[in-house]
Amino acid sequence: KPMSSKRTKWKPVTESNPQARGVLIVDDQKSVTNLMGRILSGFGFKPIPRNSGADALEFLGRESQAIGAVLLDVSMPEMNGIECMRRIKRSWPEIPVLLMSGYWDAEIGGQIGADEVVAVLQKPFTNGELQEALSQAMSLDTETDRELS
């Protein structure tokens, strides 16, 4: 019989858990950040949309403690998602990053280290896949925080 996991599950934003952190959604298409925001709100997460990597980094510079995970599109103008992810991991290594991509190939995959990203969500993905990936990312984050303290 496998041992039961003692991993603390991340609790979504509720009145009983007002300190819950948000999810930074970074995509250059406002329709995507709006839709993802509605979906995440429905799951009980606090969505924080940004439409460029620069805007996301600027927000994290002010309020990184409010963020439990980053949902980041790979294909964006100016600063692509991989560059943005590297800058996030350099300054805030404790924040899990999940990449979203409408296309994925070996070239993109080869640019990413296993320790840099928690999950890659291939568009289109289901609400259930999104919720599961975020829940796992937030649980891993909680476990890491506990081990470091």
Side-chain angles (χ1 to χ4, degrees), residues 1-2 15 33-34 41 50 53 61 63 65 67 70-71 74 78 95 98 109 114 116 127 141:
K1 182 178 174 183
E15 287 181 28
T33 56
N34 290 341
S41 291
R50 289 294 178 268
E63 300 194 46
Q65 74 287 347
I67 300 301
V70 177
L71 195 54
V74 170
E78 297 163 32
I95 298 177
L98 298 87
E116 291 183 302
N127 291 2
D141 180 43

Side-chain angles (χ1 to χ4, degrees), residues 124-146:
F125 44 83
T126 67
N127 291 2
E129 288 167 336
L130 174 61
Q131 185 175 27
E132 178 67 19
L134 279 171
S135 294
Q136 286 182 357
M138 301 261 192
S139 293
L140 289 170
D141 180 43
T142 301
E143 192 170 77
T144 301
D145 288 349
R146 259 203 338 271

Side-chain angles (χ1 to χ4, degrees), residues 12-21 46:
V13 176
T14 62
E15 287 181 28
S16 63
N17 187 27
Q19 277 74 43
R21 292 173 289 179
K46 180 181 178 188

Side-chain angles (χ1 to χ4, degrees), residues 15-98:
E15 287 181 28
S16 63
N17 187 27
Q19 277 74 43
R21 292 173 289 179
V23 176
L24 190 60
I25 308 164
V26 190
D27 196 302
D28 59 307
Q29 297 179 15
K30 285 188 175 159
S31 60
V32 173
T33 56
N34 290 341
L35 175 62
M36 299 296 287
R38 286 194 302 274
I39 292 167
L40 293 178
S41 291
F43 292 154
F45 294 105
K46 180 181 178 188
I48 300 161
R50 289 294 178 268
N51 295 113
S52 74
D55 285 350
L57 294 168
E58 188 270 332
F59 179 86
L60 285 166
R62 286 182 290 120
E63 300 194 46
S64 64
Q65 74 287 347
I67 300 301
V70 177
L71 195 54
L72 182 60
D73 188 41
V74 170
S75 179
M76 295 188 293
E78 297 163 32
M79 183 190 310
N80 70 33
I82 293 175
E83 174 62 25
C84 185
M85 173 201 61
R86 294 225 161 96
R87 292 185 187 194
I88 291 169
K89 296 313 280 183
R90 198 175 309 134
S91 297
W92 304 279
E94 73 284 359
I95 298 177
V97 176
L98 298 87

